[in-house]
Amino acid sequence: MIKMNFRKAATLGVLGIIFSIGCEAPQKEIAMPETDLSSENLIPMPSKIIATNSGFRLDQFTRIETSSDDESFQVVATYLTEKIAEKTGLRLETNAREVETTDPVIYLLQEENKQWLNEEAYILSIKKDSLILEVPTAKAAFRGIQTIRQLIPEISNDTLSEHSIWPISTGTIEDHPNFEYRGSMLDVARHFFSVEDVKKYIDLLAYYKINVLHLHLSDDQGWRIEIKSWPKLTEIGGSTEVGGEAGGFFTQEDYKEIVAYAKVRYMMIVPEIDMPGHTNAASVSYPFLDGTGKTPQLYQGTRVGFSTFNTRKDTVYSFIDDVVREISAISPGPYFHIGGDESHATSKADYLYFVNRVEKIVQKHGKQLIGWDEVAQADLDSSSIAQFWDSERNAKMAIQKGMKVILSPAKKTYLDMQYDTLSKHGLHWAAYIPVDTAYIWTPETYVEQIPKDMILGVEAPLWSETISNIEELEYLAFPRVIGYSELSWTLEENRDWENFRVRLANQTPFLDMMNVKYYPSPRIDWVKSNRAYKEILKD
Ligand code: TNX
């Protein structure tokens, strides 16, 4: 029996020798079934797949090793063991001190010196005895382990050996993202969602390599983030929501918990404070902010465009400075989203003056400004970013200013749009967006005159006027958000609706395991997962 310290051996560069010894060792040679890596149901589709039609043996003897002493690799490895345990019940050891070389190994290997296309690129080499994930960074390792999770079969094969085996198709996957910004937005202002709900959404998004969660933290109906220097924002402004229910807000500790949870999943939180419109809840809390001349009242309806800050008062900017400072201090990401949409109660001149002034505040606190596409009309710096939702004209103005653009066209990416006339939740002012419409468009060429290198990425916003709990959130977001993950990660030449449709139909084991109440669109031939069968049998 050959035993050795795996990490030491790896750093000595004898990895190949170990594996070949492992292959030759007769003790545990188990004949694996033929499989095809290129027909696995991976979403988003990787850049390149080469199948070698055998199986890696994932079983109770499999070990997970990391090459790097970097703590973050250990965290990624632990995350993978947890996810393998949830799916299979296997409790694998990571960085076990002594390893039998005949045991299958999942190896997270940091290769800083390779010519990587970007910091999230990875190469997965799957052989019979080893599954090696080569990466430049721990972030890339996190993306790569999502692919590994997706390759693990839902149920074990119990005919190959005396113990259960989850065969993983062999071959090579080379992968990297098409866009660096792959996001979804959640509106916690119209209806409030708890920390637990947000964490569940983060978990679901991370599985599909989405790396941004934009939180819409304030609107006319509610202010949802504690600001220590202005406590009435949440005491008063957070006290209600659409429909008159209780509202709620994140304390700064709650928000930090979300940020930390997202960080482990290599997801950035983009905080948004919407202004100068969409500010009724703030103005009810502190009436000096108001610029409408009316006395603001708590609002539980769904109209937009009736509120505005007073853009000509210095005290309003001192207030904004405090808000941006406090939120920026607990937001490690580079961005601060200032909203800026639908300011119909603000004059054009006031609006432009406001956006220019707020940009300086955002920059003073070390952040880059993001705003809905209207902000591009102001005199913004090229480091600021416009989020295109409605006006191509605004998006083009942004490009002329050298600003990058995030694509969130309402007609294609608004998760709050109904699937069709029968949808239980959602609106349809922009369009009905069935699952195929959501997927069949090309971000790279959607707006003429926006070259690909000026597109930061794609984001799917979920506005919450018509949804008030996690089941309703899931109904609107799933399955469409899975398609947006592919539109933002996968290269254009590898995207294909008919092919995606089949892979999407096979997401049911994951969605059922996660207890996601997705909308079972009749346009998809959903595969019944084992879990769903069990539940049907129980009924
Ligand atoms: C438009 S999109 C809005 C939101 C609404 C949404 C409803 C945008 C920047 N503003 O205030 O919630 O439509 O679909």
Side-chain angles (χ1 to χ4, degrees):
M1 188 102 11
I2 307 153
K3 286 198 173 191
M4 70 195 302
N5 181 311
F6 191 89
R7 289 176 109 185
K8 209 184 240 160
T11 42
L12 288 172
V14 291
L15 200 56
I17 301 169
I18 298 169
F19 289 135
S20 53
I21 294 170
C23 290
E24 282 159 20
Q27 298 97 321
K28 283 186 185 145
E29 192 65 59
I30 295 170
M32 297 297 286
E34 288 228 341
T35 51
D36 180 5
L37 186 63
S38 59
S39 58
E40 293 289 347
N41 295 300
L42 296 171
I43 300 182
M45 178 62 100
S47 314
K48 192 170 167 195
I49 304 180
I50 299 165
T52 53
N53 303 91
S54 182
F56 169 78
R57 200 184 101 203
L58 176 68
D59 63 12
Q60 69 205 61
F61 301 106
T62 307
R63 300 279 175 267
I64 301 183
E65 302 286 334
T66 59
S67 69
S68 169
D69 283 330
D70 188 337
E71 164 77 20
S72 51
F73 274 82
Q74 181 57 45
V75 174
V76 174
T78 304
Y79 186 88
L80 179 58
T81 57
E82 284 165 10
K83 295 302 160 192
I84 290 176
E86 280 169 24
K87 187 162 182 178
T88 64
L90 292 170
R91 311 222 155 256
L92 307 186
E93 261 184 87
T94 59
N95 290 330
R97 282 202 40 241
E98 299 224 308
V99 172
E100 280 188 29
T101 54
T102 49
D103 287 343
V105 178
I106 296 175
Y107 192 46
L108 310 187
L109 175 65
Q110 185 172 25
E111 268 290 1
E112 284 162 298
N113 300 328
K114 248 195 170 114
Q115 288 291 313
W116 293 103
L117 281 168
N118 64 48
E119 55 161 17
E120 292 182 286
Y122 67 90
I123 299 173
L124 193 55
S125 309
I126 311 168
K127 304 206 176 83
K128 279 170 87 173
D129 305 278
S130 65
L131 191 155
I132 304 175
L133 177 62
E134 266 180 281
V135 289
T137 60
K139 184 192 275 189
F142 187 79
R143 305 295 172 235
I145 66 166
Q146 307 314 315
T147 306
I148 298 174
R149 289 173 70 190
Q150 295 191 6
L151 289 171
I152 300 171
E154 186 194 8
I155 38 176
S156 59
N157 186 329
D158 295 343
T159 64
L160 299 169
S161 168
E162 275 154 25
H163 64 275
S164 298
I165 292 175
W166 284 259
I168 296 182
S169 310
T170 57
T172 308
I173 293 180
E174 288 181 24
D175 202 7
H176 69 278
N178 193 26
F179 292 113
E180 70 173 75
Y181 187 110
R182 308 178 298 277
S184 181
M185 185 209 80
L186 181 61
D187 172 7
V188 293
R190 270 52 176 275
H191 279 100
F192 184 61
F193 291 86
S194 67
V195 173
E196 287 316 305
D197 292 342
V198 175
K199 283 184 180 173
K200 184 175 180 191
Y201 196 43
I202 289 173
D203 274 331
L204 294 169
L205 298 177
Y207 184 73
Y208 296 105
K209 301 189 175 70
I210 288 176
N211 65 350
V212 178
L213 179 64
H214 163 188
L215 289 175
H216 183 75
L217 292 165
S218 69
D219 214 301
D220 291 321
Q221 299 86 345
W223 185 284
R224 308 296 180 204
I225 174 92
E226 174 190 20
I227 302 296
K228 293 190 194 285
S229 50
W230 299 89
K232 287 187 195 166
L233 287 170
T234 44
E235 274 167 38
I236 298 174
S239 66
T240 189
E241 59 187 1
V242 168
E245 288 136 86
F249 64 91
F250 299 129
T251 62
Q252 291 199 2
E253 287 309 308
D254 290 338
Y255 180 83
K256 284 194 230 166
E257 194 179 323
I258 292 172
V259 167
Y261 194 82
K263 185 165 176 254
V264 173
R265 287 141 187 87
Y266 290 89
M267 188 175 295
M268 162 168 71
I269 299 294
V270 173
E272 177 187 350
I273 296 297
D274 201 350
M275 47 194 171
H278 291 274
T279 45
N280 179 69
S283 292
V284 179
S285 313
Y286 293 101
F288 81 90
L289 296 168
D290 175 64
T292 66
K294 299 177 198 135
T295 308
Q297 305 286 334
L298 285 172
Y299 182 65
Q300 296 147 9
T302 59
R303 270 189 308 123
V304 297
F306 62 88
S307 57
T308 181
F309 278 162
N310 185 328
T311 61
R312 301 288 168 171
K313 258 192 201 164
D314 283 341
T315 46
V316 170
Y317 296 96
S318 314
F319 165 86
I320 293 171
D321 193 290
D322 286 337
V323 170
V324 176
R325 175 176 50 77
E326 288 198 30
I327 296 177
S328 295
I330 53 175
S331 300
Y335 305 120
F336 190 100
H337 200 306
I338 67 153
D341 56 315
E342 301 172 319
S343 288
H344 307 318
T346 323
S347 76
K348 179 88 185 264
D350 287 353
Y351 178 81
L352 299 178
Y353 174 78
F354 179 86
V355 172
N356 286 334
R357 217 167 142 175
V358 173
E359 183 190 51
K360 302 286 171 302
I361 297 174
V362 168
Q363 290 173 344
K364 175 179 146 198
H365 293 293
K367 301 292 178 193
Q368 266 172 274
L369 176 145
I370 305 181
W372 297 105
D373 62 48
E374 291 94 322
V375 299
Q377 301 166 77
D379 184 20
L380 293 181
D381 190 78
S382 62
S383 64
S384 292
I385 293 154
Q387 185 164 8
F388 165 64
W389 67 283
D390 180 47
S391 162
E392 294 199 2
R393 209 169 143 252
N394 288 339
K396 285 174 201 159
M397 278 170 80
I399 300 300
Q400 280 155 13
K401 291 177 178 150
M403 298 164 64
K404 288 203 173 175
V405 172
I406 296 165
L407 295 181
S408 303
K411 290 185 184 67
K412 290 288 182 188
T413 65
Y414 267 28
L415 287 168
D416 65 317
M417 291 300 118
Q418 293 175 308
Y419 293 93
D420 56 37
T421 55
L422 301 174
S423 289
K424 283 191 283 177
H425 312 286
L427 306 168
H428 55 259
W429 64 264
Y432 290 104
I433 309 185
V435 183
D436 47 354
T437 305
Y439 181 89
I440 305 172
W441 63 288
T442 310
E444 290 85 345
T445 52
Y446 187 71
V447 183
E448 247 179 276
Q449 296 164 39
I450 300 190
K452 186 179 172 207
D453 63 347
M454 295 307 279
I455 302 173
L456 195 61
V458 180
E459 181 184 295
L462 180 47
W463 302 98
S464 63
E465 285 94 332
T466 66
I467 55 170
S468 59
N469 59 47
I470 185 82
E471 286 81 22
E472 293 168 0
L473 179 163
E474 288 166 1
Y475 172 90
L476 286 176
F478 292 90
R480 289 180 293 196
V481 76
I482 301 175
Y484 301 128
S485 84
E486 181 146 310
L487 285 179
S488 52
W489 176 282
T490 301
L491 305 177
E492 188 181 347
E493 68 258 32
N494 292 329
R495 300 194 303 255
D496 174 75
W497 164 249
E498 287 305 329
N499 183 290
F500 174 74
R501 213 176 146 251
V502 176
R503 286 179 285 123
L504 182 60
N506 281 282
Q507 297 307 301
T508 43
F510 174 69
L511 296 173
D512 289 338
M513 179 180 77
M514 296 294 286
N515 190 25
V516 175
K517 298 276 182 288
Y518 62 95
Y519 165 60
S521 164
R523 298 183 190 213
I524 305 297
D525 301 322
W526 298 102
V527 171
K528 280 262 170 289
S529 70
N530 191 45
R531 187 172 300 256
Y533 271 134
K534 277 190 204 139
E535 268 153 32
I536 291 164
L537 288 177
K538 253 193 281 158
D539 289 344

